[in-house]
């Protein structure tokens, strides 16, 4: 099916988020994870909309997408969904536009986390602003009576948001809100195909709930195919853009790594011209030591086929990470080595096709924690029993071969964030909307009627 074919009915724009008490200062930010996939985006948008209709709301709810605005066009499935649903990207706020720390300092921030359950270390001062968590990943957050936590291992966080709205305020669901949630559940659960290993009974329950309540929703198969086509469209993307398209970052000690989902076979990815140099440049430009690339394709659009590659110019880092993944038991990835044309890339076929990144990330974070623990015990990483070439390890500077001996100019961009990374690049050195102006901006957005919808 043509990716651009419109399988959505014409819909008016989603009603602007409003607040029950506009005289109450501050914002209630609803924010997804730093990969900012469709699930994070839609969960943040629809839950903020749900909160805006609550009589208990004390601050204006606003969704914030947890990436820089400049990266959003790489989320081709999300941009497709917004476009086909009649929603403008101009209405969205991104992490590089909102100074959460400034809002918090001025006592203007309340925070709800969706599609993740832990804040990064650099954001620990925001912890007392978190009032709720809704997520479907492994729970890494301590429980607290002041912060309700809803964490269930369903296929899509949008399922949990749908459940909350259906139980608490079903009148909030209109055709457009339902369409956003339904599309996300269908895509995350791979068209509800059991063989993909993503769908759970609760996902099916709320997909059927939306279908029955809104019979004019797009046909399930056509909707999935159009979203899948958009998601897997990487034509024209550079290697860097492909790595950034669906990436999460992690860090432990001196090791900083990116975990990227790549939407093609590993063979096709490895055949890209100059790939090893591209990977080296990516690590150098973004201050990473290592990249884990998880490729995914589908057999007959149902059964996933997964492969995995580990890149690092450091033999030690590459071998240690590969060994941790190969020896993992919870879950076992069933990795089988495959040939790689590059000495700095280890390649594997992943026999456990049900192990998505959501299940691999805990393996990686456990590896980083254990590595950091060993380093702490020894007191100095250079005292570890490493290979003879460890003294030549480039992990600290991550220089490409032709960059060896070139002095760092200090302009390397900081590392993207997740729960294990120190420092948030989106909070440093970028122009942001001041807390006062942001509150005023969102207040005006809430009170203004959309001129484009008036003309429809």
């Amino acid at each position: 099916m043509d990716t651009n074919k419109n399988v959505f009915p014409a819909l008016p724009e989603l009603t602007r988020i409003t607040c029950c008490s506009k005289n109450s200062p501050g914002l209630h930010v609803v924010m997804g994870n730093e990969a900012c996939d469709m699930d994070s985006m839609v969960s943040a948008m629809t839950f903020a909309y749900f909160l805006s209709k609550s009589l208990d709301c004390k601050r204006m709810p606003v969704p914030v997408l947890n990436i820089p605005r400049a990266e959003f066009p790489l989320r081709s499935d999300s941009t497709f969904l917004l476009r086909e649903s009649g929603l403008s990207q101009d209405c969205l706020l991104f992490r590089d536009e909102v100074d959460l720390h400034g809002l918090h300092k001025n006592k203007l921030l309340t925070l709800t986390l969706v599609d993740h359950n832990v804040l990064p270390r650099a954001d620990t001062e925001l912890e007392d602003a978190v009032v709720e968590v809704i997520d479907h990943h492994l729970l890494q957050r301590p429980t607290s009576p002041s912060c309700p936590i809803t964490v269930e291992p369903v296929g899509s966080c949008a399922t949990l948001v749908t459940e909350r709205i259906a139980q608490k305020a079903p009148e909030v669901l209109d055709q457009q809100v339902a369409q956003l949630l339904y599309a996300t559940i269908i895509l995350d659960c791979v068209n509800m195909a059991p063989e993909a290993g993503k769908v759970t009974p609760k996902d099916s329950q709320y997909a059927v709930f939306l279908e029955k309540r809104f019979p004019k929703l797009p046909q399930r198969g056509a909707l999935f195919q159009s979203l899948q086509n958009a998601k897997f469209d990487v034509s024209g993307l550079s290697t860097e853009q492909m790595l950034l398209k669906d990436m999460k970052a992690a860090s432990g000690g001196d090791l900083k790594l990116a975990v990227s989902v790549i939407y093609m076979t590993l063979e096709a990815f490895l055949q890209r011209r100059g790939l090893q140099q591209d990977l080296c440049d990516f690590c150098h430009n973004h201050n990473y030591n290592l990249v884990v690339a998880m490729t995914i394709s589908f057999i007959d659009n149902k059964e996933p086929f997964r492969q995995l590659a580990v890149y690092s110019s450091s033999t030690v880092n590459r071998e240690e990470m590969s060994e941790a993944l190969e020896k993992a038991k919870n879950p076992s990835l069933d990795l089988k080595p495959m040939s790689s044309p590059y000495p700095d890339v280890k390649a594997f076929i992943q026999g456990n096709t049900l192990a998505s990144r959501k299940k691999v990330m805990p393996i990686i974070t456990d590896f980083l924690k254990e590595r950091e623990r060993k380093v702490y015990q020894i007191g100095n990483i250079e005292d570890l029993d490493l290979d003879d070439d460890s003294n030549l390890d480039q992990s600290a500077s991550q220089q490409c071969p032709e960059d060896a001996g070139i002095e760092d100019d200090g302009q390397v961009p900081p590392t993207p964030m997740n729960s294990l990374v120190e420092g948030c690049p989106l909070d440093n050195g970028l122009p942001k909307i001041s807390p006062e102006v942001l509150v005023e901006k969102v207040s005006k957005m809430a009170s203004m009627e959309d001129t484009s919808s008036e003309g429809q």
Side-chain angles (χ1 to χ4, degrees):
M1 178 178 290
D2 185 349
T3 301
N4 295 321
K5 185 174 181 181
N6 187 355
V7 298
F8 295 92
L11 293 174
E13 183 164 345
L14 185 66
T15 305
R16 295 289 190 182
I17 295 173
T18 58
C19 184
C20 60
S21 177
K22 293 180 180 177
N23 293 325
S24 299
L27 296 178
H28 186 152
V29 169
V30 183
M31 187 169 67
N33 66 50
E34 78 283 358
C36 196
D37 59 5
M38 184 187 295
D39 197 17
S40 277
M41 178 190 75
V42 169
S43 294
M45 291 174 63
T46 54
F47 195 71
Y49 182 63
F50 160 72
L51 290 176
S52 74
K53 300 299 182 181
S54 171
L55 296 177
D56 296 328
C57 113
K58 298 177 181 178
R59 288 181 167 174
M60 182 176 296
V62 56
V64 172
L65 276 62
N66 203 2
I67 54 170
R69 181 179 288 273
E71 289 185 15
F72 189 59
L74 300 179
R75 275 66 176 177
S76 49
D77 49 350
S78 295
T79 59
F80 175 81
L81 178 63
L82 289 182
R83 182 172 64 251
E84 298 301 318
S85 299
L87 287 163
S88 171
Q89 297 179 28
D90 295 338
C91 303
L92 303 176
L93 283 172
F94 293 82
R95 180 67 194 264
D96 60 335
E97 299 170 333
V98 182
D99 184 359
L100 296 184
H101 291 269
L103 286 167
H104 184 58
K105 183 178 180 180
N106 287 282
K107 303 186 184 303
L108 293 170
L109 179 68
T110 300
L111 188 60
T112 289
L113 306 181
V114 294
D115 204 24
H116 65 315
N117 61 76
V118 287
L119 283 168
R121 289 178 179 174
D123 286 340
T124 51
E125 68 179 62
L126 304 180
E127 185 57 48
D128 59 349
V130 179
V131 296
E132 186 165 8
V133 171
I134 301 177
D135 188 25
H136 66 138
H137 296 89
L138 178 70
L139 181 61
Q140 297 175 293
R141 180 187 192 85
T143 58
S144 168
S146 62
C147 178
I149 298 175
T150 301
V151 172
E152 295 184 39
V154 293
S156 178
C157 186
T159 295
L160 302 178
V161 175
T162 303
E163 178 182 49
R164 175 69 62 84
I165 296 174
Q167 292 179 350
K168 299 294 185 179
E171 68 279 3
V172 169
L173 288 170
D174 58 21
Q175 180 81 18
Q176 194 170 43
V177 175
Q179 184 165 282
L180 292 172
L181 292 165
Y182 181 68
T184 305
I185 296 171
I186 295 302
L187 182 63
D188 271 355
C189 296
V190 195
N191 203 23
M192 320 309 281
E195 55 265 43
K198 300 293 286 291
V199 64
T200 69
K202 181 167 285 191
D203 296 301
S204 297
Q205 175 188 346
Y206 282 100
V208 171
F209 165 79
L210 292 170
E211 288 170 341
K212 289 182 176 179
R213 189 175 176 93
F214 299 95
K216 291 184 179 180
L217 284 171
Q219 191 273 333
R220 182 186 289 187
L223 173 63
F224 171 74
Q225 191 61 61
S226 62
L227 290 168
Q228 186 84 328
N229 287 346
K231 184 174 185 176
F232 278 74
D233 182 10
V234 294
S235 57
L237 295 187
S238 66
T239 300
E240 179 182 39
Q241 289 172 324
M242 292 178 68
L243 293 168
L244 290 171
K245 178 180 170 71
D246 192 351
M247 186 197 80
K248 289 188 176 181
S251 176
D254 66 335
L255 183 58
K256 299 178 181 179
L257 60 89
V259 185
S260 297
V261 178
I262 304 295
Y263 295 97
M264 59 172 57
T265 65
L266 185 54
E267 289 86 353
F269 185 63
L270 292 176
Q271 288 172 8
R272 292 176 65 88
R273 185 183 298 274
L275 177 69
Q276 181 163 284
Q277 186 62 48
D278 287 345
L279 291 169
C280 185
D281 292 341
F282 177 79
C283 287
H284 179 70
N285 293 335
H286 295 274
N287 198 25
Y288 291 119
N289 311 101
L290 185 145
V291 173
V292 176
M294 301 184 64
T295 69
I296 182 170
S297 54
F298 284 89
I299 302 171
D300 298 327
N301 285 320
K302 291 183 179 180
E303 185 177 351
F305 176 64
R306 297 184 184 274
Q307 297 162 293
L308 186 149
V310 178
Y311 164 80
S312 179
S313 61
S314 160
T315 302
V316 173
N317 290 341
R318 184 172 63 252
E319 293 297 329
E320 286 185 348
M321 183 75 264
S322 298
E323 182 180 10
L325 293 169
E326 287 182 280
K327 291 185 175 180
K329 299 298 183 184
N330 188 26
S332 169
L333 302 183
D334 190 18
L335 295 182
K336 297 178 174 61
M338 55 182 285
S339 62
S340 167
Y342 302 107
D344 291 350
V345 177
K346 297 200 71 172
F348 303 91
I349 295 174
Q350 183 178 317
N352 182 358
T353 60
L354 303 185
S356 63
R357 182 176 59 189
K358 182 172 71 172
K359 297 180 180 179
V360 173
M361 284 301 292
I363 298 173
I364 293 175
T365 55
D366 285 346
F367 160 74
L368 292 171
K369 290 175 183 177
E370 177 63 17
R371 183 179 183 276
E372 196 169 11
R373 184 188 66 80
K374 290 179 179 178
V375 171
Y376 178 79
Q377 286 180 340
I378 294 175
N380 191 319
I381 191 171
E382 293 180 358
D383 293 334
L384 286 173
D385 183 17
L386 302 177
D387 294 337
D388 291 339
D389 64 348
S390 63
N391 290 330
L392 301 178
D393 194 326
Q394 296 176 340
S395 62
S397 61
Q398 195 58 52
Q399 292 182 333
C400 303
E402 66 272 26
D403 289 331
I406 299 177
E407 191 172 10
D408 188 356
D409 61 4
Q411 298 302 311
V412 178
T415 305
M417 280 300 304
N418 89 326
S419 59
L420 295 177
V421 179
E422 297 286 0
C424 180
L426 302 183
D427 284 335
N428 294 305
L430 293 174
K432 296 181 181 65
I433 306 169
S434 70
E436 296 79 8
V437 173
L438 182 60
V439 172
E440 181 181 1
K441 175 184 174 74
V442 177
S443 298
K444 288 181 179 179
M445 288 173 61
S447 61
M448 289 173 56
E449 292 186 3
D450 180 53
T451 54
S452 62
S453 64
E454 290 176 353
Q456 293 179 354

